[in-house]
Amino acid sequence: MYNMLYNLFGVHPHPKSFKSPVFPRLVTLRLAVLASGRGSNLQALLDAIDAGWVDARVDLVICDRPAAPCLALARERGVPAVLELRSTPGQKRTDYDAQLLEVLQSESPDLVVLTGFMRILGPTLCEAFPNRMVNIHPALLPAFKGAHGIRDTLQAGARIAGCTTHFVTADLDGGPIILQAALAVGADDTKERLAARVLELEHQILPCTIQRIAEGRVTLNCGKVRIASGPSWLESSHPAPVRGALYADGY
Ligand code: GRF
């Protein structure tokens, strides 16, 4: 019922208890994906869109590394705009960000999705897409922020590992958490093995996150995400959950 009201009117029936959803209507979200490497999360997202699990389309892929596999993947999969945007030697971060912002603004996506984009984005860029930029991080935030989530999880001797989707703010890996999935660290988990196990979860929570946003179920209240009730992760037709994993997808 709430979803129907969101979708029809874009207004929540209880405005005192809820803020407006990030996207107040059911729309096919137009995405820009930023990546730096392999592109397996991009692939998972494209697969979920093709399978009809996610109501979105990827209009633009930007990569900051030359010849990264994600570029070839995006081209093979027919993404309309694929751009290799390298920084030039000595280029200031703010100048790179300005270039990136110009490209993004010219495409004006509904949502910018960071999937292993290995650059720290400055405040101007982050603030240009308030609550419209999502990142996937290979650790259970707010622990193990930064570029080495898996390594740091193992080095800390954490018993539980996982991944997080969150909105991007100027606070690195510190924006409001959307979804998380977790698994137990095994005695035989090396960095590579754990990274592969966590990656499987990433491939599930990223498409799920985008779909929750497309459904208008994601709201922000006092800096915290709330996900309105609706079909849960386990009830929807996503790939089968990983055995033994814990998915926290909404309340
Ligand atoms: C993923 O582990 C993501 O969480 C991290 O970088 C990796 C990107 O992998 N930020 P891929 O390029 O999507 O395969």
Side-chain angles (χ1 to χ4, degrees), residues 37-42 115-118 135-138 199 202-203:
R38 184 177 47 188
S40 68
N41 277 291
L42 170 65
T115 61
F117 190 59
M118 299 307 286
N135 182 40
I136 175 109
H137 182 77
L199 192 64
E202 291 179 39
H203 295 166

Side-chain angles (χ1 to χ4, degrees), residues 14-77:
H14 299 299
K16 282 196 181 131
S17 49
F18 292 87
K19 295 270 186 222
S20 301
V22 173
F23 288 96
R25 62 209 183 280
L26 197 61
V27 287
T28 297
L29 289 181
R30 293 174 308 105
L31 309 177
V33 175
L34 273 49
S36 296
R38 184 177 47 188
S40 68
N41 277 291
L42 170 65
Q43 180 164 356
L45 192 51
L46 291 166
D47 288 347
I49 291 170
D50 287 353
W53 293 322
V54 173
D55 190 8
R57 59 174 211 253
V58 178
D59 282 347
L60 169 66
V61 168
I62 300 176
C63 174
D64 63 329
R65 305 269 161 100
C70 61
L71 286 164
L73 171 78
R75 290 189 187 109
E76 271 163 33
R77 297 291 294 256

Side-chain angles (χ1 to χ4, degrees), residues 115-139:
T115 61
F117 190 59
M118 299 307 286
R119 294 185 66 91
I120 294 176
L121 304 179
T124 310
L125 190 50
C126 296
E127 281 152 22
F129 292 92
N131 307 326
R132 287 173 52 218
M133 201 183 271
V134 167
N135 182 40
I136 175 109
H137 182 77

Side-chain angles (χ1 to χ4, degrees), residues 47-190:
D47 288 347
I49 291 170
D50 287 353
W53 293 322
V54 173
D55 190 8
R57 59 174 211 253
V58 178
D59 282 347
L60 169 66
V61 168
I62 300 176
C63 174
D64 63 329
R65 305 269 161 100
C70 61
L71 286 164
L73 171 78
R75 290 189 187 109
E76 271 163 33
R77 297 291 294 256
V79 172
V82 181
L83 182 66
E84 186 183 303
L85 189 66
R86 275 192 269 172
S87 56
T88 49
Q91 187 178 28
K92 284 197 284 180
R93 191 178 79 181
T94 46
D95 292 342
Y96 182 90
D97 279 5
Q99 243 185 313
L100 183 55
L101 183 58
E102 200 182 317
V103 178
L104 287 172
Q105 281 175 336
S106 70
E107 199 70 31
S108 63
D110 295 318
L111 200 65
V112 179
V113 185
L114 311 185
T115 61
F117 190 59
M118 299 307 286
R119 294 185 66 91
I120 294 176
L121 304 179
T124 310
L125 190 50
C126 296
E127 281 152 22
F129 292 92
N131 307 326
R132 287 173 52 218
M133 201 183 271
V134 167
N135 182 40
I136 175 109
H137 182 77
L140 291 173
L141 293 173
F144 313 123
K145 294 177 179 176
H148 302 286
I150 298 284
R151 182 200 69 187
D152 295 347
T153 300
L154 276 176
Q155 274 183 2
R159 301 298 192 213
I160 304 286
C163 52
T164 305
T165 54
H166 65 94
F167 286 113
V168 175
T169 62
D171 177 14
L172 180 69
D173 294 331
I177 290 170
I178 310 171
L179 299 186
Q180 290 186 307
L183 46 72
V185 177
D188 55 350
D189 268 325
T190 57

Side-chain angles (χ1 to χ4, degrees), residues 217-234:
R217 286 168 61 186
V218 176
T219 56
L220 268 160
N221 196 0
C222 303
K224 283 197 192 133
V225 167
R226 183 180 164 107
I227 300 175
S229 57
S232 99
W233 167 279
L234 297 170

